[in-house]
Amino acid sequence: MSEFSSSCHASAVKNKSRNIGFLLLDNFTMIALASAVEPLRMANQLSGRELYNWHTLTEDGAEVMASDGIRITPDSSIADAPPLDTLIVVGGVNITRSFSRRQVSWLQSMARKHILIGGVCTGPYLLAEAGLLDGYDCSAHWECIASLQEAFPKVRCTNHLFVIDRDRMTSSGGTVPLDMMLNMIKRDFGYQLTAGISEMFICDRVRNESDYQRIPLRHVLGTTQPKLVEAVSLMESNIEEAIELDELAGYVGLSRRQLERLFQKYLQCSPSKYYLKLRLFRARQLLKQTSMSIIEIAAACGFVSTPHFSKCYREHIGIPPREERSGMRSQERSQTVTPLVTTALPGLNQKGEQLQRSNSELALRALSEAQFEPTYGSVSLQ
């Protein structure tokens, strides 16, 4: 156990309530905030104790608008923030234009207090701007990984879903902050409480630091290599019955040698090796998320036999498929806490002044903001 993990465990033993602050940036993503806060609420509910307190913060204490148009009135400004054990920056769209120098300076001052500092969605970008991720492993939403790495070469960017590295905690977006916070709660108070929270949220599996986010190839290559993107899309659509390399090259209008050169130049591997990685990635998903037998998974992912599948899986993933599956089952069998009767949620604060925006206006504003993103439309629905 690291020195930082030991200190967390010590505070847990003393039953000390931990204060978590959430710095909300302009256009932050609501799902990232909710995914991070709700596990804390449920930890208190299931334990019957105030294990965590949480506080929303903005630079000046004024309300802030999320990327979906919903306005949040924070608990305080950064100047009036209570003493914190953990501080998490919640980012969203237009991250490079969503923070101020005052916020950067405040983060640097908070880091000097040696507390756990984190970021979710694009929040890690602000931590990097403040120099708080130099020499650290870092995760962020795939949309900003490339720009973050380019702007801050001292930061070790990864495509992991989340990373907890010493006194830094970073996460990609969407629902991943839920997994990150569950892992933090497990470090603080043990697996039993985390398992109970997962049950209450109908969360089949808590993802860990070894899980990756899948970065769309279009985002990695942009529009510069349409033939390569097309070839990979064909691979992804034909996992069970793999396409022969000559046939694949013909579909995209290239020779086999041209296709091999493209893969080597831009993906640093051969087409066959990339295809194998895709099939093993799919197999890992099926092992973790379904009850399909290993024989069925091998067939569904285009392997000619179960022994061949097991050999490839062990060589590239590091453990045999049966061990991957048994690890998931042993986790499911572990004892969980008995869910307590759900307590009533505190009433929402009512503002005297009602906002006069219609839902359609908020939706249009959110779309307009998104269109300024450099990756707008990078995920194809075709």
Side-chain angles (χ1 to χ4, degrees):
M1 183 180 289
S2 68
E3 181 180 345
F4 184 74
S5 297
S6 298
S7 66
C8 288
H9 181 70
S11 68
V13 171
K14 294 176 184 177
N15 296 325
K16 177 187 174 184
S17 177
R18 295 176 60 77
N19 288 325
I20 316 292
F22 293 93
L23 176 60
L24 308 182
L25 304 183
D26 290 338
N27 294 308
F28 74 94
T29 50
M30 185 67 74
I31 190 172
L33 174 64
S35 297
V37 170
E38 284 299 303
L40 305 178
R41 177 184 70 83
M42 190 55 66
N44 291 353
Q45 179 179 313
L46 292 183
S47 67
R49 295 187 288 126
E50 194 176 48
L51 303 180
Y52 296 99
N53 292 308
W54 52 93
H55 315 270
T56 52
L57 312 167
T58 60
E59 179 176 350
D60 54 5
E63 69 176 16
V64 62
M65 186 179 289
S67 58
D68 57 10
I70 295 176
R71 295 176 183 269
I72 295 292
T73 301
D75 296 314
S76 72
S77 67
I78 56 178
D80 297 324
L84 299 174
D85 299 295
T86 302
L87 172 62
I88 297 175
V89 178
V90 186
V93 300
N94 298 326
I95 182 60
T96 57
R97 301 196 298 273
S98 297
F99 62 85
S100 67
R101 299 314 306 176
R102 183 185 175 200
Q103 289 171 327
V104 171
S105 297
W106 182 70
L107 283 172
Q108 292 168 336
S109 69
M110 294 301 290
R112 289 192 288 271
K113 297 180 180 180
H114 304 291
I115 65 172
L116 175 60
I117 295 181
V120 297
C121 195
T122 59
Y125 191 97
L126 179 52
L127 301 188
E129 177 71 28
L132 304 185
L133 292 179
D134 290 355
Y136 284 86
D137 289 338
C138 164
S139 173
H141 192 282
W142 58 262
E143 283 191 317
C144 78
I145 285 180
S147 59
L148 195 156
Q149 186 69 86
E150 182 70 24
F152 309 104
K154 293 182 181 179
V155 179
R156 298 194 297 261
C157 291
T158 76
N159 63 341
H160 288 271
L161 290 176
F162 66 92
V163 173
I164 302 178
D165 184 0
R166 291 162 286 170
D167 54 353
R168 298 291 182 267
M169 183 167 66
T170 52
S171 163
S172 55
T175 61
V176 174
L178 170 67
D179 300 278
M180 183 181 76
M181 299 304 281
L182 285 173
N183 277 267
M184 184 194 77
I185 293 170
K186 182 169 68 174
R187 291 186 179 197
D188 286 351
F189 297 101
Y191 175 76
Q192 190 178 21
L193 178 58
T194 303
I197 297 170
S198 301
E199 280 193 351
M200 291 297 289
F201 289 153
I202 319 176
C203 179
D204 294 334
R205 182 177 79 89
V206 180
R207 295 171 289 188
N208 57 43
E209 292 177 76
S210 66
D211 286 294
Y212 294 87
Q213 57 178 316
R214 186 167 175 223
I215 303 175
L217 193 63
R218 285 181 177 83
H219 177 71
V220 177
L221 300 177
T223 57
T224 60
Q225 297 301 324
K227 296 289 187 180
L228 182 55
V229 171
E230 185 181 356
V232 171
S233 297
L234 284 170
M235 288 178 173
E236 292 173 338
S237 301
N238 294 272
I239 295 294
E240 185 170 356
E241 295 184 13
I243 306 174
E244 293 293 333
L245 186 54
D246 289 330
E247 189 178 6
L248 180 65
Y251 282 141
V252 298
L254 296 173
S255 69
R256 176 172 176 148
R257 187 174 294 274
Q258 287 174 318
L259 187 62
E260 288 175 336
R261 281 201 295 263
L262 280 179
F263 271 85
Q264 287 292 348
K265 181 175 181 179
Y266 294 100
L267 300 177
Q268 292 76 51
C269 67
S270 66
S272 58
K273 186 172 183 179
Y274 191 89
Y275 212 163
L276 177 60
K277 288 180 179 179
L278 286 178
R279 291 156 59 206
L280 290 171
F281 178 81
R282 178 72 59 82
R284 192 164 193 248
Q285 287 181 313
L286 295 177
L287 282 167
K288 289 190 170 188
Q289 300 171 10
T290 75
S291 59
M292 292 172 64
S293 69
I294 292 177
I295 295 174
E296 290 172 326
I297 291 173
C301 296
F303 291 92
V304 294
S305 68
T306 304
H308 180 233
F309 167 57
S310 297
K311 179 177 180 292
C312 292
Y313 199 93
R314 187 185 303 107
E315 288 177 354
H316 290 83
I317 306 298
I319 58 174
R322 194 170 302 280
E323 189 173 322
E324 185 91 81
R325 171 61 58 80
S326 63
M328 292 299 299
R329 285 178 178 167
S330 64
Q331 194 177 53
E332 291 167 4
R333 286 195 299 267
S334 296
Q335 183 183 12
T336 60
V337 295
T338 304
L340 304 178
V341 177
T342 304
T343 58
L345 292 176
L348 296 175
N349 292 329
Q350 298 297 319
K351 292 183 65 178
E353 207 172 60
Q354 296 295 322
L355 296 175
Q356 298 301 313
R357 291 176 177 268
S358 67
N359 290 338
S360 60
E361 288 174 331
L362 292 176
L364 286 172
R365 179 194 175 282
L367 177 60
S368 176
E369 287 286 347
Q371 287 173 335
F372 285 100
E373 284 288 286
T375 51
Y376 177 74
S378 61
V379 177
S380 173
L381 300 181
Q382 297 179 353

